[in-house]
């Protein structure tokens, strides 16, 4: 399924912790944070990768972030969108980019700032 996310609008309080993710397994999910600290992200990328293992698994290194849609996963019967950076500041940039720019959730993006990201061609 394809969706395009644009800035604006409010969903209210929809925060779900790692331990509660099974309660939303029939919903579209936005998973925030890397696989080293987030078990839902680890499920998406195939393991709790930290440091260089994160780079090997995702292609994302220091000062970069990833926004990637997963049409299928064991987390949900819907779409899961991973929003994660090398460090917390990079994840913040990814979240800002997602909120303020047009993003095709069926694609993968690599970025470095809150306003700069490029589609990844696989």
């Amino acid at each position: 399924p394809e969706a395009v996310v644009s800035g604006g609008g409010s969903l209210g309080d929809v925060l779900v912790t790692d331990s509660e993710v099974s309660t939303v397994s029939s919903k579209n999910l936005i998973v925030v944070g890397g696989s080293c600290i987030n078990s839902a992200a680890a499920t998406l990328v195939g393991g709790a990768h930290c440091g260089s293992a994160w780079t090997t698994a995702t292609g994302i290194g220091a000062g970069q972030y990833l926004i990637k849609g997963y049409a299928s996963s064991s987390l949900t019967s819907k779409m899961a969108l991973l929003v994660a950076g090398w460090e917390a500041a990079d994840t913040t940039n990814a979240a800002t980019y997602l909120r303020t720019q047009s993003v095709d959730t069926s694609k993968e993006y690599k970025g470095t700032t809150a306003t700069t990201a490029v589609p990844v061609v696989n």
Side-chain angles (χ1 to χ4, degrees), residues 1-95:
E2 282 190 29
V4 176
V5 177
S6 297
S10 176
L11 297 175
D13 186 10
V14 292
L15 177 66
V16 177
T17 64
D18 283 7
S19 63
E20 301 167 322
V21 76
S22 64
T23 67
V24 291
S25 63
S26 64
K27 308 283 185 191
N28 289 319
L29 303 178
I30 299 175
V31 177
V32 179
S35 62
C36 190
I37 61 160
N38 184 324
S39 65
T43 297
L44 293 174
V45 300
H49 305 298
C50 301
S52 62
W54 167 256
T55 300
T56 299
T58 64
I60 302 302
Q64 297 179 322
Y65 63 78
L66 172 70
I67 299 173
K68 182 176 181 180
Y70 293 81
S72 63
S73 73
S74 61
L75 291 177
T76 179
S77 59
K78 302 279 184 156
M79 192 270 299
L81 185 67
L82 178 60
V83 180
W86 178 260
E87 293 185 354
D90 304 313
T91 300
T92 298
N93 281 339

